[in-house]
């Protein structure tokens, strides 16, 4: 079974992702030139964006990983659980949280509060995708946004449906019948 056959349409191609991520990496490189930068990857969805973005940033950055869970299949419970918190000190360091997609903003709002308590010198957010029409929490303001997308459930480039489709190299929309299985 080829996963590409379960995709109704490609929303963002591999080439477009590559080009936009290179632009964001270049902007971050300029903005953080003389700064001690820690990039935080939110597992699991941000893994592809995080890897592609960080390898294009030409600064000596440090990696950290954090895991929160709020989604089950294609619906949100509105409940955010932090399953893993940073183990390195973020005090007086410049931090960027790397997110795959901001939907309601509830997940990131909870994570932002935890990181703020660690007293970083600065805290910014980058998200590959943004669905502003779905926002419920307005305290989350991403500085570096890849693409603004319509209110559609998307998969690929790290994003899953029921833990699958993360390995697609592009962002796509699943065929409706897949949700019904
Ligand atoms: P929020 O708390 O509603 O902003 O949800 C953020 C998290 O929900 C993201 O990090 C994703 O893991 C997941 N999510 C939201 N929208 C989608 C989608 O369209 N496809 C796959 N996962 C999504």
């Amino acid at each position: 079974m080829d996963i590409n056959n379960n995709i109704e349409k490609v929303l963002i191609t591999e080439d477009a992702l590559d080009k936009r991520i290179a632009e964001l990496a270049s902007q971050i490189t300029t903005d953080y030139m003389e700064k001690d930068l820690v990039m935080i990857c939110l597992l699991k969805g941000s893994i592809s964006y995080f890897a592609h973005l960080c390898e294009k940033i030409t600064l000596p950055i440090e990696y950290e990983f954090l895991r929160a869970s709020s989604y089950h299949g294609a619906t949100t419970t509105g409940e955010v659980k932090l399953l893993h918190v940073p183990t390195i000190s973020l005090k007086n360091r410049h931090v960027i949280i790397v997110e795959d997609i901001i939907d309601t903003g509830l997940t990131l709002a909870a994570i932002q509060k935890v990181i703020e308590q660690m007293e970083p010198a600065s805290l910014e957010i980058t998200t590959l995708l943004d669905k502003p029409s779905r926002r419920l929490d307005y305290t989350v303001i991403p500085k570096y946004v890849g693409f603004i997308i319509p209110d559609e459930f998307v998969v690929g480039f790290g994003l899953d449906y029921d833990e699958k489709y993360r390995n697609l190299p592009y962002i796509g929309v699943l065929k409706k019948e897949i949700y019904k299985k």
Side-chain angles (χ1 to χ4, degrees):
M1 196 271 287
D2 188 321
I3 52 171
N4 292 284
N5 295 337
N6 292 348
I7 300 300
E8 185 178 287
K9 64 176 176 194
V10 175
L11 207 62
I12 308 170
T13 64
E14 210 174 332
D15 277 356
L17 286 167
D18 234 40
K19 189 166 168 276
R20 183 68 187 127
I21 293 171
E23 286 169 3
L24 292 173
S26 157
Q27 202 184 331
I28 291 171
T29 301
T30 305
D31 292 354
Y32 289 83
M33 199 52 85
E34 298 302 329
K35 291 178 177 157
D36 174 23
L37 178 59
V38 182
M39 304 284 288
I40 299 184
C41 175
L42 301 188
L43 297 170
K44 302 175 193 172
S46 302
I47 191 135
S48 298
Y49 176 43
F50 184 82
H52 283 77
L53 179 69
C54 290
E55 69 190 18
K56 291 187 176 84
I57 296 173
T58 56
L59 299 172
I61 55 180
E62 194 169 331
Y63 285 6
E64 184 55 280
F65 298 87
L66 199 151
R67 187 151 181 220
S69 125
S70 65
Y71 269 71
H72 302 282
T75 56
T76 176
T77 59
E79 196 185 302
V80 178
K81 276 194 219 145
L82 292 187
L83 308 173
H84 175 72
V85 290
T87 48
I88 60 169
S89 172
L90 300 178
K91 195 173 163 79
N92 298 329
R93 309 185 71 186
H94 295 274
V95 176
I96 299 180
I97 301 175
V98 182
E99 177 65 301
D100 52 357
I101 184 166
I102 305 179
D103 189 28
T104 63
L106 296 173
T107 310
L108 213 42
I111 290 167
Q112 194 173 251
K113 278 198 197 99
V114 172
I115 304 294
E116 274 165 358
Q117 282 163 10
M118 297 179 164
E119 301 175 66
S122 70
L123 178 59
E124 298 293 352
I125 292 162
T126 178
T127 186
L128 179 64
L129 307 175
D130 193 3
K131 279 187 207 167
S133 61
R134 297 252 312 158
R135 198 75 90 253
L136 294 176
D137 189 305
Y138 295 95
T139 62
V140 169
I141 303 161
K143 181 164 183 186
Y144 308 97
V145 177
F147 301 87
I148 290 175
I149 62 163
D151 181 13
E152 277 191 286
F153 192 81
V154 292
V155 294
F157 209 70
L159 289 147
D160 73 307
Y161 168 64
D162 226 6
E163 291 301 326
K164 298 198 176 69
Y165 303 97
R166 294 191 197 276
N167 54 318
L168 280 174
Y170 55 84
I171 302 284
V173 177
L174 274 181
K175 288 182 179 162
K176 296 276 178 296
E177 60 262 34
I178 306 298
Y179 298 116
K180 291 177 191 148
K181 276 183 189 164

